[in-house]
Amino acid sequence: MNFPAELKYTKDHEWIRVEGSEAYIGITEFAQRELGDIVYIDISALGKEVAQEEVFGTVEAVKTVSDLFMPLTGVVNETNPALDSQPELVNTDPYGEGWMVKISIKDASQIDGLLSADAYQALTGA
């Protein structure tokens, strides 16, 4: 299983790639494997400020629906338009083309509370 070292992770299985004052967010390879085939992504927070650990959308798999939790407080500036027609990108490329939202970070100090790749891997036992 892949745990890119340049990313940060949450206990709720989201990853975050910080790029200056912005960040890309998606779900981890571990999460997408647990969910199975992803069939729909619903992001309800476009244009809104979402607090750390609040729900910003849902991911629907064949057998279940899971909430998506915001790793850092920020404003959702963009959603991945490719996921509208190809939600399976989350399964095939969770850390690349399967990203879900791009945010403006409101409180960069929250980054320090996120998990490293090693800590996330230990959490999952993978």
Side-chain angles (χ1 to χ4, degrees), residues 38-99:
I38 308 257
V39 296
Y40 183 68
I41 311 288
D42 180 26
I43 307 296
S44 55
L46 186 60
K48 297 178 184 169
E49 182 176 310
V50 181
Q52 185 177 34
E53 298 183 2
E54 281 189 358
V55 173
F56 68 89
T58 57
V59 58
E60 184 176 334
V62 173
K63 296 181 181 175
T64 189
V65 175
S66 285
D67 287 334
L68 298 166
F69 296 95
M70 187 61 69
L72 303 173
T73 300
V75 175
V76 178
N77 294 329
E78 189 177 335
T79 61
N80 184 345
L83 297 181
D84 290 341
S85 60
Q86 296 178 287
E88 67 275 7
L89 287 172
V90 175
N91 292 116
T92 58
D93 190 11
Y95 302 117
E97 295 299 315
W99 65 274

Side-chain angles (χ1 to χ4, degrees), residues 9-14 30 53 69 71 113-115 120 123-124:
Y9 301 86
T10 71
K11 62 181 177 15
D12 296 311
H13 310 291
E14 284 82 21
F30 176 85
E53 298 183 2
F69 296 95
L114 298 174
L115 302 172
Y120 180 70
L123 175 79
T124 64

